[in-house]
Amino acid sequence: MISVQEQDFNQQVEYDRLKCKTSIGAIVTFTGLVRDINAGQSVSDLSLEHYPGMTEKCLTDIVEQAKTRWNIIASTVIHRVGQLTISDQIVFVGIASQHRGDAFAACEFIMDYLKTEAPFWKKETMINGETKWVDARETDQQAISKWQHK
Amino acid sequence: MISVQEQDFNQQVEYDRLKCKTSIGAIVTFTGLVRDINAGQSVSDLSLEHYPGMTEKCLTDIVEQAKTRWNIIASTVIHRVGQLTISDQIVFVGIASQHRGDAFAACEFIMDYLKTEAPFWKKETMINGETKWVDARETDQQAISKWQHK
Amino acid sequence: MIKVLFFAKLSEQLGCRELTVESDSIKDCEQLLQYLCEYKDDWSSILNAQSWLKAVNQSMTSNNVVLNDGDEVAFFPPVTGG
Amino acid sequence: MIKVLFFAKLSEQLGCRELTVESDSIKDCEQLLQYLCEYKDDWSSILNAQSWLKAVNQSMTSNNVVLNDGDEVAFFPPVTGG
């Protein structure tokens, strides 16, 4: 399941959706939240823009790539767009597999590629009222390299 | 939070407990479930024995080791004991961190060490009524090695 | 006809989110970029100020792709989702 | 006095979960194991059938640890939790 949506999501609902077969032995989930401080500055709000159409296509491609590398029984990717505030849920990636190694690797792989390839852009409003577009992080680009040697 | 318990646990409750500070940007959770088939045989039930006292001590030690290696804001380890059946939740490891790299690594590290060091033993009842103690898996021992070179 | 989209910081700077280019003389991405650089006074300096990413028909590419009628080309900053 | 515990398959095979050993002559784990091998007829073959794990005072160790009065020693198969 892939969804780009404004509304919030519920952990138990998403977990129950992933737990769909009795062959599942491992479920790994990642949830990204709006942090109160980014790059040393106090954040008050966040707005998320995306490229409708390409976003869904890109997330589908990343999940398909993960499926060629690991055994995945069920997967969920949810990314919110629009106006968010501190501690709000931004993104959810959940993987259900027979074994934990596949679930951990696929979940982290999808997040790493989502971070560098999926067309989302964050704009922060600081507590002093200033707004700024978030800069891409070099460490996100580096995170990709670990999947290219395996 | 570390707990060895007979009763089931709830994903939303554990997630909400982990999400305790506005500095948290990433929550990774692992849940282990009773699979319908193990080592090629159809399982009907599972019973889990442990070494009371040592179990809690061992899980505490593993979490402390993880804290020396990664930035962890909150952590939860729950392991059930007693009688379980297919698709029941066995174990939950949840990590809340500022960044996803720490949360993924710490969560997988704790699971890998729990698998090889924490004194739990599984006994399966097959659908034909036969019972047998689960054998330790060589792959679990191998999973440890990736943490020793980092 | 080529549909051109701009996102995030780039669309703010250009003051434009979407544009339709109806020129038969634009055969590839480089020619499109050249056309856009001349579209308004300040667009050249904005488009050359940093290396923007580019997607042709919703797939990211760094190549100079050949363009056909009906193609969709988007320019945007490095992505920051997740 | 040394408290000895057995778990899982090993406790089933020995037919024993817990044992208190009151011998002043047992100074370390090897001597304890020797004592246990002679405790009942079939214990020697069970205890030597495979390499069981060992914990002294709830910490796993493969060393021949020196034992003191009040120590707790456990023997068990490789763990299979999670």
Side-chain angles (χ1 to χ4, degrees):
Chain A
M1 199 270 278
I2 287 171
S3 174
V4 180
Q5 61 189 47
E6 289 201 15
Q7 68 267 32
D8 200 7
F9 50 86
N10 176 279
Q11 294 285 327
Q12 190 72 47
V13 168
E14 296 313 323
Y15 173 83
D16 291 342
R17 196 200 308 274
L18 285 165
K19 197 182 151 186
C20 58
K21 290 197 179 163
T22 54
S23 55
I24 294 169
I27 294 179
V28 172
T29 74
F30 171 85
T31 307
L33 306 169
V34 181
R35 281 188 297 130
D36 57 359
I37 294 181
N38 193 25
Q41 288 196 278
S42 291
V43 177
S44 110
D45 292 285
L46 192 70
S47 102
L48 258 152
E49 180 178 336
H50 77 124
Y51 181 173
M54 178 170 165
T55 316
E56 292 80 354
K57 183 174 179 293
C58 180
L59 296 177
T60 304
D61 285 351
I62 295 170
V63 171
E64 288 306 313
Q65 277 181 57
K67 284 183 181 168
T68 66
R69 298 181 67 154
W70 298 285
N71 179 286
I72 297 177
I73 297 173
S75 67
T76 298
V77 179
I78 301 173
H79 203 298
R80 291 177 72 193
V81 291
Q83 292 297 318
L84 301 175
T85 188
I86 301 298
S87 285
D88 274 357
Q89 302 187 123
I90 305 172
V91 57
F92 177 88
V93 177
I95 303 291
S97 296
Q98 278 187 281
H99 301 291
R100 72 185 187 286
D102 286 326
F104 273 115
C107 191
E108 190 168 12
F109 173 92
I110 289 170
M111 271 311 300
D112 284 349
Y113 277 87
L114 184 157
K115 278 270 179 185
T116 54
E117 295 190 351
F120 293 100
W121 300 275
K122 284 178 185 151
K123 190 180 192 176
E124 290 172 340
T125 304
M126 304 303 163
I127 53 168
N128 63 11
E130 206 184 308
T131 64
K132 75 176 182 73
W133 290 97
V134 172
D135 287 324
R137 298 197 314 160
E138 182 60 30
T139 51
D140 285 330
Q141 206 58 50
Q142 289 160 2
I144 290 299
S145 68
K146 70 172 171 289
W147 304 110
Q148 290 162 348
H149 306 296
K150 282 183 183 172
Chain B
M1 198 269 277
I2 286 171
S3 174
V4 180
Q5 61 189 46
E6 290 201 14
Q7 68 267 33
D8 200 7
F9 50 87
N10 176 280
Q11 293 287 326
Q12 190 72 48
V13 168
E14 296 313 324
Y15 173 83
D16 291 342
R17 196 200 309 274
L18 285 165
K19 196 182 153 187
C20 59
K21 289 194 179 166
T22 53
S23 55
I24 293 169
I27 294 178
V28 172
T29 74
F30 171 85
T31 307
L33 306 169
V34 181
R35 280 188 296 131
D36 56 0
I37 293 181
N38 193 26
Q41 287 196 277
S42 292
V43 177
S44 109
D45 292 285
L46 192 71
S47 104
L48 258 151
E49 180 176 336
H50 77 125
Y51 181 173
M54 178 170 165
T55 316
E56 293 80 356
K57 182 173 180 294
C58 179
L59 295 176
T60 303
D61 285 351
I62 295 170
V63 170
E64 288 305 314
Q65 277 181 58
K67 284 182 181 168
T68 66
R69 297 182 67 153
W70 298 285
N71 179 286
I72 297 177
I73 296 172
S75 67
T76 299
V77 180
I78 301 172
H79 203 298
R80 293 177 71 194
V81 292
Q83 293 298 318
L84 300 176
T85 188
I86 301 298
S87 286
D88 274 358
Q89 302 187 122
I90 305 172
V91 57
F92 177 89
V93 177
I95 302 291
S97 297
Q98 280 186 281
H99 301 290
R100 74 185 185 287
D102 286 325
F104 273 114
C107 189
E108 191 168 12
F109 173 93
I110 290 169
M111 269 312 300
D112 284 348
Y113 276 87
L114 183 156
K115 278 268 178 186
T116 54
E117 295 190 352
F120 293 101
W121 300 274
K122 285 178 184 149
K123 189 180 191 175
E124 290 172 341
T125 304
M126 304 304 163
I127 53 169
N128 64 11
E130 205 182 308
T131 64
K132 76 177 182 69
W133 290 98
V134 172
D135 286 324
R137 297 198 314 159
E138 182 59 31
T139 51
D140 285 330
Q141 206 58 52
Q142 288 159 3
I144 291 298
S145 68
K146 70 171 171 288
W147 303 111
Q148 290 163 348
H149 306 296
K150 281 184 182 173
Chain C
M1 187 269 280
I2 292 158
K3 187 176 170 186
V4 182
L5 301 170
F6 304 107
F7 289 98
K9 186 168 71 176
L10 180 57
S11 76
E12 276 189 357
Q13 290 183 359
L14 297 174
C16 177
R17 295 185 67 82
E18 192 171 336
L19 193 72
T20 301
V21 176
E22 301 270 11
S23 170
D24 289 345
S25 64
I26 295 172
K27 302 294 183 202
D28 59 32
C29 290
E30 279 186 15
Q31 290 176 5
L32 174 65
L33 197 58
Q34 192 51 44
Y35 173 89
L36 295 171
C37 281
E38 292 161 14
Y39 189 76
K40 282 192 185 172
D41 270 358
D42 56 350
W43 281 30
S44 172
S45 63
I46 294 166
L47 288 166
N48 289 307
Q50 70 173 79
S51 60
W52 306 101
L53 299 180
K54 178 182 71 202
V56 176
N57 296 326
Q58 307 190 345
S59 288
M60 249 197 280
T61 177
S62 53
N63 298 333
N64 178 27
V65 179
V66 170
L67 297 175
N68 297 300
D69 187 51
D71 280 351
E72 178 175 303
V73 182
F75 298 92
F76 44 78
V79 303
T80 57
Chain D
M1 188 270 280
I2 292 159
K3 186 176 171 187
V4 181
L5 301 170
F6 304 106
F7 289 97
K9 187 168 69 176
L10 179 57
S11 78
E12 275 191 357
Q13 290 183 0
L14 297 174
C16 176
R17 295 185 65 84
E18 191 171 337
L19 192 71
T20 302
V21 177
E22 302 270 11
S23 170
D24 290 344
S25 64
I26 294 172
K27 302 294 181 201
D28 58 32
C29 289
E30 279 187 14
Q31 290 176 7
L32 175 65
L33 197 59
Q34 191 52 44
Y35 174 90
L36 294 171
C37 282
E38 293 161 11
Y39 189 77
K40 283 192 183 169
D41 272 357
D42 55 350
W43 281 32
S44 173
S45 63
I46 295 165
L47 288 166
N48 289 307
Q50 68 172 82
S51 60
W52 307 101
L53 300 180
K54 179 181 73 203
V56 176
N57 296 325
Q58 307 190 346
S59 288
M60 249 197 279
T61 177
S62 52
N63 299 332
N64 179 27
V65 179
V66 170
L67 296 175
N68 298 300
D69 187 50
D71 281 351
E72 178 175 304
V73 183
F75 297 91
F76 44 79
V79 303
T80 57

